[in-house]
Amino acid sequence: MNFFMVLLILFFISLFEGFLERAFSIGKSVTGFPLWVIEISDRPGEIEAEPAFKYIGNVHGDEPVGRELLLRLANWICDNYGKDPLAKMIVNNVHLHILPSLNPDGFSVRKRNNANNVDLNRDFPDQFFPLNEDLSLRQPETTAVMTWLRDIRFTASATLHGGALVANFPWDGTEDKRKYYYGCPDDETFRFLARIYSKSHRNMSLSKEFEEGITNGASWYPIYGGMQDWNYIHGGCFELTLEISDNKWPPASELPTIWEYNRMSMLNLVASLVKTGVHGRIFSLDKGKPLPGIVVVKGINYTVKAHQAYADYHRLLTPGQKYEVTASSPGYKPKTTSVWLGENAVTADFILIPEASSGGKLLRSNCDCNCGQPLLTHFFTDTYNGITFTLVVVVAFLCFLLQRRVRFNLWKQRQSSRRSITI
Ligand SMILES: *[C@@H]1O[C@H](CO)[C@@H](O)[C@H](O)[C@H]1NC(C)=O
Ligand SMILES: *[C@@H]1O[C@H](CO)[C@@H](O)[C@H](O)[C@H]1NC(C)=O
Ligand SMILES: [Zn+2]
């Protein structure tokens, strides 16, 4: 067998097997150690209209349990891709990024801070106290995370710590530095996500100290310059801080047990990006091109951005409620729809109409059927010159047909688990 045949065989194997993961470095620690990230996906390294999730471990050098669990998580998902439906679902529908150790320097000397003796979880820009605004003083590890978030749009994330057993959510600090419950605009959704973790954990939700095993950061102890609040405010990323073991540095023999305690929590948290929330894409009516617009939900002062390339958006929300979701993009008329969010995720695609479009306006008043506008508007503007009574009849008939089709589609989609609507 010659060299080329081997190459050819390898090529075909890679086609069928697919590569599930790639490793890349997002920067270097103070002493020059690469900050390795493992990306797990059916198309690692590619941009897809899918949500992304990141796990970060070992922010504090003396909290190594997260680092160990993240390596196990990466192995487990790759090993079980073909066997376990949850692993398969995550690989196929999420881009999962895993950074096992943000602080390899601290880890190597069993210290909390990095090699410059800075606590990385106090080094981010803060919403209340501009402690860390001086860019030249920011640590390389912190800068690496901030650049990573600029390059990759993450929907949610979690950072693993040790020393307690609780799922912590924003805000982490208060304006007056006192300790009390201080919820962010998405408090309900954060409570929902934190509960997914604690309830899937073997005994986190049984905590005596924290009701249901979850806590608001500021009501536990306020911190400033933390990674969690910065992610939510500047990264568009819903981040939890997970304290996964009371003992910061347990004997290695306990790791398999701790992994088993946390495994379902870690998987379910990532899977929640697909199983719940409102997702979709934003298009322009005129050429059908993706519009990187924004999505807001009535009553929640927070903006979710659609992706620059595919204009997909992923809005995590608490299930069991009705939401008014509005998509907008500069130069287009915003559109709003009501979404009843049950136990499953909902897909809502938006088709926005350019503000200057005049042909479409006329038609919409003719045909108030609330359906098939993309098709009809093209049809109408193209043949505007020779408009006759016949055309109006044809349009009305098309409308009638489309309405029936939409109804049929809605009925069909209700049969499957994820509901889908186009607005
Ligand atoms: C959870 O289990 C671990 C290991 O058995 C134990 O150390 C810890 O105290 C338990 N925590 C709760 C809240 O039950
Ligand atoms: C919404 O949040 C922004 C900060 O993100 C704040 O400046 C603004 O005042 C808030 N608006 C309302 C109505 O609370
Ligand atoms: Zn920590």
mmCIF file with all atom_site columns, all heavy atoms in Angstrom, residues 92-109:
data_model
loop_
_atom_site.group_PDB
_atom_site.id
_atom_site.type_symbol
_atom_site.label_atom_id
_atom_site.label_alt_id
_atom_site.label_comp_id
_atom_site.label_asym_id
_atom_site.label_entity_id
_atom_site.label_seq_id
_atom_site.pdbx_PDB_ins_code
_atom_site.Cartn_x
_atom_site.Cartn_y
_atom_site.Cartn_z
_atom_site.occupancy
_atom_site.B_iso_or_equiv
_atom_site.pdbx_formal_charge
_atom_site.auth_seq_id
_atom_site.auth_comp_id
_atom_site.auth_asym_id
_atom_site.auth_atom_id
_atom_site.pdbx_PDB_model_num
ATOM 1   N N   . ASN A 1 92  ? -24.156 17.979 18.143 1.00 0.00 ? 92  ASN A N   1
ATOM 2   C CA  . ASN A 1 92  ? -24.789 18.388 16.887 1.00 0.00 ? 92  ASN A CA  1
ATOM 3   C C   . ASN A 1 92  ? -25.355 19.803 16.906 1.00 0.00 ? 92  ASN A C   1
ATOM 4   O O   . ASN A 1 92  ? -25.491 20.424 15.869 1.00 0.00 ? 92  ASN A O   1
ATOM 5   C CB  . ASN A 1 92  ? -25.911 17.412 16.514 1.00 0.00 ? 92  ASN A CB  1
ATOM 6   C CG  . ASN A 1 92  ? -25.356 16.075 16.071 1.00 0.00 ? 92  ASN A CG  1
ATOM 7   O OD1 . ASN A 1 92  ? -24.159 15.939 15.842 1.00 0.00 ? 92  ASN A OD1 1
ATOM 8   N ND2 . ASN A 1 92  ? -26.219 15.090 15.955 1.00 0.00 ? 92  ASN A ND2 1
ATOM 9   N N   . ASN A 1 93  ? -25.720 20.292 18.096 1.00 0.00 ? 93  ASN A N   1
ATOM 10  C CA  . ASN A 1 93  ? -26.462 21.557 18.129 1.00 0.00 ? 93  ASN A CA  1
ATOM 11  C C   . ASN A 1 93  ? -25.804 22.709 18.876 1.00 0.00 ? 93  ASN A C   1
ATOM 12  O O   . ASN A 1 93  ? -26.354 23.805 18.902 1.00 0.00 ? 93  ASN A O   1
ATOM 13  C CB  . ASN A 1 93  ? -27.853 21.330 18.748 1.00 0.00 ? 93  ASN A CB  1
ATOM 14  C CG  . ASN A 1 93  ? -28.662 20.336 17.958 1.00 0.00 ? 93  ASN A CG  1
ATOM 15  O OD1 . ASN A 1 93  ? -29.033 20.600 16.827 1.00 0.00 ? 93  ASN A OD1 1
ATOM 16  N ND2 . ASN A 1 93  ? -28.901 19.177 18.546 1.00 0.00 ? 93  ASN A ND2 1
ATOM 17  N N   . VAL A 1 94  ? -24.668 22.428 19.526 1.00 0.00 ? 94  VAL A N   1
ATOM 18  C CA  . VAL A 1 94  ? -24.017 23.478 20.307 1.00 0.00 ? 94  VAL A CA  1
ATOM 19  C C   . VAL A 1 94  ? -22.533 23.499 19.946 1.00 0.00 ? 94  VAL A C   1
ATOM 20  O O   . VAL A 1 94  ? -21.956 22.454 19.620 1.00 0.00 ? 94  VAL A O   1
ATOM 21  C CB  . VAL A 1 94  ? -24.152 23.192 21.828 1.00 0.00 ? 94  VAL A CB  1
ATOM 22  C CG1 . VAL A 1 94  ? -23.435 24.256 22.656 1.00 0.00 ? 94  VAL A CG1 1
ATOM 23  C CG2 . VAL A 1 94  ? -25.613 23.105 22.235 1.00 0.00 ? 94  VAL A CG2 1
ATOM 24  N N   . HIS A 1 95  ? -21.912 24.653 19.986 1.00 0.00 ? 95  HIS A N   1
ATOM 25  C CA  . HIS A 1 95  ? -20.453 24.716 19.940 1.00 0.00 ? 95  HIS A CA  1
ATOM 26  C C   . HIS A 1 95  ? -19.981 24.868 21.381 1.00 0.00 ? 95  HIS A C   1
ATOM 27  O O   . HIS A 1 95  ? -20.180 25.910 21.997 1.00 0.00 ? 95  HIS A O   1
ATOM 28  C CB  . HIS A 1 95  ? -19.987 25.883 19.063 1.00 0.00 ? 95  HIS A CB  1
ATOM 29  C CG  . HIS A 1 95  ? -20.058 25.555 17.610 1.00 0.00 ? 95  HIS A CG  1
ATOM 30  N ND1 . HIS A 1 95  ? -18.955 25.271 16.856 1.00 0.00 ? 95  HIS A ND1 1
ATOM 31  C CD2 . HIS A 1 95  ? -21.123 25.413 16.788 1.00 0.00 ? 95  HIS A CD2 1
ATOM 32  C CE1 . HIS A 1 95  ? -19.332 24.982 15.609 1.00 0.00 ? 95  HIS A CE1 1
ATOM 33  N NE2 . HIS A 1 95  ? -20.645 25.061 15.542 1.00 0.00 ? 95  HIS A NE2 1
ATOM 34  N N   . LEU A 1 96  ? -19.437 23.795 21.909 1.00 0.00 ? 96  LEU A N   1
ATOM 35  C CA  . LEU A 1 96  ? -19.036 23.779 23.312 1.00 0.00 ? 96  LEU A CA  1
ATOM 36  C C   . LEU A 1 96  ? -17.541 24.048 23.421 1.00 0.00 ? 96  LEU A C   1
ATOM 37  O O   . LEU A 1 96  ? -16.720 23.301 22.866 1.00 0.00 ? 96  LEU A O   1
ATOM 38  C CB  . LEU A 1 96  ? -19.385 22.427 23.934 1.00 0.00 ? 96  LEU A CB  1
ATOM 39  C CG  . LEU A 1 96  ? -18.889 22.185 25.362 1.00 0.00 ? 96  LEU A CG  1
ATOM 40  C CD1 . LEU A 1 96  ? -19.474 23.214 26.331 1.00 0.00 ? 96  LEU A CD1 1
ATOM 41  C CD2 . LEU A 1 96  ? -19.263 20.775 25.823 1.00 0.00 ? 96  LEU A CD2 1
ATOM 42  N N   . HIS A 1 97  ? -17.187 25.130 24.105 1.00 0.00 ? 97  HIS A N   1
ATOM 43  C CA  . HIS A 1 97  ? -15.779 25.467 24.311 1.00 0.00 ? 97  HIS A CA  1
ATOM 44  C C   . HIS A 1 97  ? -15.416 25.174 25.769 1.00 0.00 ? 97  HIS A C   1
ATOM 45  O O   . HIS A 1 97  ? -16.154 25.559 26.676 1.00 0.00 ? 97  HIS A O   1
ATOM 46  C CB  . HIS A 1 97  ? -15.534 26.949 24.029 1.00 0.00 ? 97  HIS A CB  1
ATOM 47  C CG  . HIS A 1 97  ? -15.621 27.309 22.578 1.00 0.00 ? 97  HIS A CG  1
ATOM 48  N ND1 . HIS A 1 97  ? -14.612 27.972 21.919 1.00 0.00 ? 97  HIS A ND1 1
ATOM 49  C CD2 . HIS A 1 97  ? -16.594 27.091 21.661 1.00 0.00 ? 97  HIS A CD2 1
ATOM 50  C CE1 . HIS A 1 97  ? -14.959 28.158 20.654 1.00 0.00 ? 97  HIS A CE1 1
ATOM 51  N NE2 . HIS A 1 97  ? -16.159 27.641 20.469 1.00 0.00 ? 97  HIS A NE2 1
ATOM 52  N N   . ILE A 1 98  ? -14.291 24.510 25.959 1.00 0.00 ? 98  ILE A N   1
ATOM 53  C CA  . ILE A 1 98  ? -13.855 24.135 27.299 1.00 0.00 ? 98  ILE A CA  1
ATOM 54  C C   . ILE A 1 98  ? -12.441 24.640 27.543 1.00 0.00 ? 98  ILE A C   1
ATOM 55  O O   . ILE A 1 98  ? -11.509 24.272 26.816 1.00 0.00 ? 98  ILE A O   1
ATOM 56  C CB  . ILE A 1 98  ? -13.918 22.596 27.470 1.00 0.00 ? 98  ILE A CB  1
ATOM 57  C CG1 . ILE A 1 98  ? -15.375 22.113 27.352 1.00 0.00 ? 98  ILE A CG1 1
ATOM 58  C CG2 . ILE A 1 98  ? -13.317 22.179 28.799 1.00 0.00 ? 98  ILE A CG2 1
ATOM 59  C CD1 . ILE A 1 98  ? -15.521 20.604 27.393 1.00 0.00 ? 98  ILE A CD1 1
ATOM 60  N N   . LEU A 1 99  ? -12.301 25.510 28.525 1.00 0.00 ? 99  LEU A N   1
ATOM 61  C CA  . LEU A 1 99  ? -10.965 25.988 28.924 1.00 0.00 ? 99  LEU A CA  1
ATOM 62  C C   . LEU A 1 99  ? -10.702 25.413 30.313 1.00 0.00 ? 99  LEU A C   1
ATOM 63  O O   . LEU A 1 99  ? -11.160 25.948 31.315 1.00 0.00 ? 99  LEU A O   1
ATOM 64  C CB  . LEU A 1 99  ? -10.957 27.523 28.960 1.00 0.00 ? 99  LEU A CB  1
ATOM 65  C CG  . LEU A 1 99  ? -9.741  28.244 29.564 1.00 0.00 ? 99  LEU A CG  1
ATOM 66  C CD1 . LEU A 1 99  ? -8.457  27.891 28.843 1.00 0.00 ? 99  LEU A CD1 1
ATOM 67  C CD2 . LEU A 1 99  ? -9.942  29.750 29.530 1.00 0.00 ? 99  LEU A CD2 1
ATOM 68  N N   . PRO A 1 100 ? -9.987  24.278 30.384 1.00 0.00 ? 100 PRO A N   1
ATOM 69  C CA  . PRO A 1 100 ? -9.834  23.610 31.688 1.00 0.00 ? 100 PRO A CA  1
ATOM 70  C C   . PRO A 1 100 ? -9.089  24.467 32.715 1.00 0.00 ? 100 PRO A C   1
ATOM 71  O O   . PRO A 1 100 ? -9.402  24.419 33.892 1.00 0.00 ? 100 PRO A O   1
ATOM 72  C CB  . PRO A 1 100 ? -9.044  22.344 31.355 1.00 0.00 ? 100 PRO A CB  1
ATOM 73  C CG  . PRO A 1 100 ? -9.263  22.124 29.901 1.00 0.00 ? 100 PRO A CG  1
ATOM 74  C CD  . PRO A 1 100 ? -9.409  23.488 29.296 1.00 0.00 ? 100 PRO A CD  1
ATOM 75  N N   . SER A 1 101 ? -8.108  25.266 32.262 1.00 0.00 ? 101 SER A N   1
ATOM 76  C CA  . SER A 1 101 ? -7.352  26.043 33.238 1.00 0.00 ? 101 SER A CA  1
ATOM 77  C C   . SER A 1 101 ? -7.071  27.451 32.731 1.00 0.00 ? 101 SER A C   1
ATOM 78  O O   . SER A 1 101 ? -6.325  27.637 31.775 1.00 0.00 ? 101 SER A O   1
ATOM 79  C CB  . SER A 1 101 ? -6.025  25.348 33.564 1.00 0.00 ? 101 SER A CB  1
ATOM 80  O OG  . SER A 1 101 ? -5.316  26.130 34.512 1.00 0.00 ? 101 SER A OG  1
ATOM 81  N N   . LEU A 1 102 ? -7.682  28.436 33.401 1.00 0.00 ? 102 LEU A N   1
ATOM 82  C CA  . LEU A 1 102 ? -7.381  29.826 33.050 1.00 0.00 ? 102 LEU A CA  1
ATOM 83  C C   . LEU A 1 102 ? -6.143  30.309 33.784 1.00 0.00 ? 102 LEU A C   1
ATOM 84  O O   . LEU A 1 102 ? -5.527  31.287 33.403 1.00 0.00 ? 102 LEU A O   1
ATOM 85  C CB  . LEU A 1 102 ? -8.591  30.720 33.409 1.00 0.00 ? 102 LEU A CB  1
ATOM 86  C CG  . LEU A 1 102 ? -8.436  32.217 33.116 1.00 0.00 ? 102 LEU A CG  1
ATOM 87  C CD1 . LEU A 1 102 ? -8.261  32.466 31.616 1.00 0.00 ? 102 LEU A CD1 1
ATOM 88  C CD2 . LEU A 1 102 ? -9.618  33.008 33.640 1.00 0.00 ? 102 LEU A CD2 1
ATOM 89  N N   . ASN A 1 103 ? -5.777  29.584 34.833 1.00 0.00 ? 103 ASN A N   1
ATOM 90  C CA  . ASN A 1 103 ? -4.672  30.055 35.665 1.00 0.00 ? 103 ASN A CA  1
ATOM 91  C C   . ASN A 1 103 ? -3.628  28.955 35.898 1.00 0.00 ? 103 ASN A C   1
ATOM 92  O O   . ASN A 1 103 ? -3.422  28.504 37.027 1.00 0.00 ? 103 ASN A O   1
ATOM 93  C CB  . ASN A 1 103 ? -5.248  30.565 36.990 1.00 0.00 ? 103 ASN A CB  1
ATOM 94  C CG  . ASN A 1 103 ? -4.225  31.248 37.869 1.00 0.00 ? 103 ASN A CG  1
ATOM 95  O OD1 . ASN A 1 103 ? -3.050  31.383 37.496 1.00 0.00 ? 103 ASN A OD1 1
ATOM 96  N ND2 . ASN A 1 103 ? -4.648  31.653 39.056 1.00 0.00 ? 103 ASN A ND2 1
ATOM 97  N N   . PRO A 1 104 ? -2.976  28.509 34.814 1.00 0.00 ? 104 PRO A N   1
ATOM 98  C CA  . PRO A 1 104 ? -1.995  27.428 34.973 1.00 0.00 ? 104 PRO A CA  1
ATOM 99  C C   . PRO A 1 104 ? -0.825  27.828 35.875 1.00 0.00 ? 104 PRO A C   1
ATOM 100 O O   . PRO A 1 104 ? -0.271  26.964 36.570 1.00 0.00 ? 104 PRO A O   1
ATOM 101 C CB  . PRO A 1 104 ? -1.516  27.146 33.545 1.00 0.00 ? 104 PRO A CB  1
ATOM 102 C CG  . PRO A 1 104 ? -1.884  28.353 32.743 1.00 0.00 ? 104 PRO A CG  1
ATOM 103 C CD  . PRO A 1 104 ? -3.081  28.967 33.415 1.00 0.00 ? 104 PRO A CD  1
ATOM 104 N N   . ASP A 1 105 ? -0.472  29.119 35.904 1.00 0.00 ? 105 ASP A N   1
ATOM 105 C CA  . ASP A 1 105 ? 0.636   29.565 36.765 1.00 0.00 ? 105 ASP A CA  1
ATOM 106 C C   . ASP A 1 105 ? 0.283   29.398 38.235 1.00 0.00 ? 105 ASP A C   1
ATOM 107 O O   . ASP A 1 105 ? 1.085   28.891 39.033 1.00 0.00 ? 105 ASP A O   1
ATOM 108 C CB  . ASP A 1 105 ? 0.979   31.037 36.489 1.00 0.00 ? 105 ASP A CB  1
ATOM 109 C CG  . ASP A 1 105 ? 1.470   31.265 35.068 1.00 0.00 ? 105 ASP A CG  1
ATOM 110 O OD1 . ASP A 1 105 ? 1.771   30.262 34.376 1.00 0.00 ? 105 ASP A OD1 1
ATOM 111 O OD2 . ASP A 1 105 ? 1.544   32.434 34.653 1.00 0.00 ? 105 ASP A OD2 1
ATOM 112 N N   . GLY A 1 106 ? -0.903  29.823 38.598 1.00 0.00 ? 106 GLY A N   1
ATOM 113 C CA  . GLY A 1 106 ? -1.360  29.679 39.980 1.00 0.00 ? 106 GLY A CA  1
ATOM 114 C C   . GLY A 1 106 ? -1.438  28.203 40.364 1.00 0.00 ? 106 GLY A C   1
ATOM 115 O O   . GLY A 1 106 ? -1.020  27.797 41.445 1.00 0.00 ? 106 GLY A O   1
ATOM 116 N N   . PHE A 1 107 ? -1.944  27.402 39.439 1.00 0.00 ? 107 PHE A N   1
ATOM 117 C CA  . PHE A 1 107 ? -2.085  25.969 39.697 1.00 0.00 ? 107 PHE A CA  1
ATOM 118 C C   . PHE A 1 107 ? -0.735  25.327 40.007 1.00 0.00 ? 107 PHE A C   1
ATOM 119 O O   . PHE A 1 107 ? -0.616  24.525 40.939 1.00 0.00 ? 107 PHE A O   1
ATOM 120 C CB  . PHE A 1 107 ? -2.724  25.292 38.492 1.00 0.00 ? 107 PHE A CB  1
ATOM 121 C CG  . PHE A 1 107 ? -2.753  23.801 38.572 1.00 0.00 ? 107 PHE A CG  1
ATOM 122 C CD1 . PHE A 1 107 ? -3.668  23.158 39.381 1.00 0.00 ? 107 PHE A CD1 1
ATOM 123 C CD2 . PHE A 1 107 ? -1.853  23.032 37.835 1.00 0.00 ? 107 PHE A CD2 1
ATOM 124 C CE1 . PHE A 1 107 ? -3.696  21.767 39.463 1.00 0.00 ? 107 PHE A CE1 1
ATOM 125 C CE2 . PHE A 1 107 ? -1.866  21.654 37.912 1.00 0.00 ? 107 PHE A CE2 1
ATOM 126 C CZ  . PHE A 1 107 ? -2.790  21.020 38.732 1.00 0.00 ? 107 PHE A CZ  1
ATOM 127 N N   . SER A 1 108 ? 0.293   25.709 39.245 1.00 0.00 ? 108 SER A N   1
ATOM 128 C CA  . SER A 1 108 ? 1.579   25.030 39.401 1.00 0.00 ? 108 SER A CA  1
ATOM 129 C C   . SER A 1 108 ? 2.212   25.315 40.764 1.00 0.00 ? 108 SER A C   1
ATOM 130 O O   . SER A 1 108 ? 3.072   24.568 41.209 1.00 0.00 ? 108 SER A O   1
ATOM 131 C CB  . SER A 1 108 ? 2.524   25.400 38.260 1.00 0.00 ? 108 SER A CB  1
ATOM 132 O OG  . SER A 1 108 ? 2.805   26.785 38.320 1.00 0.00 ? 108 SER A OG  1
ATOM 133 N N   . VAL A 1 109 ? 1.790   26.403 41.428 1.00 0.00 ? 109 VAL A N   1
ATOM 134 C CA  . VAL A 1 109 ? 2.324   26.664 42.773 1.00 0.00 ? 109 VAL A CA  1
ATOM 135 C C   . VAL A 1 109 ? 1.225   26.608 43.850 1.00 0.00 ? 109 VAL A C   1
ATOM 136 O O   . VAL A 1 109 ? 1.421   27.071 44.976 1.00 0.00 ? 109 VAL A O   1
ATOM 137 C CB  . VAL A 1 109 ? 3.057   28.035 42.830 1.00 0.00 ? 109 VAL A CB  1
ATOM 138 C CG1 . VAL A 1 109 ? 4.342   27.995 42.024 1.00 0.00 ? 109 VAL A CG1 1
ATOM 139 C CG2 . VAL A 1 109 ? 2.157   29.172 42.342 1.00 0.00 ? 109 VAL A CG2 1
#
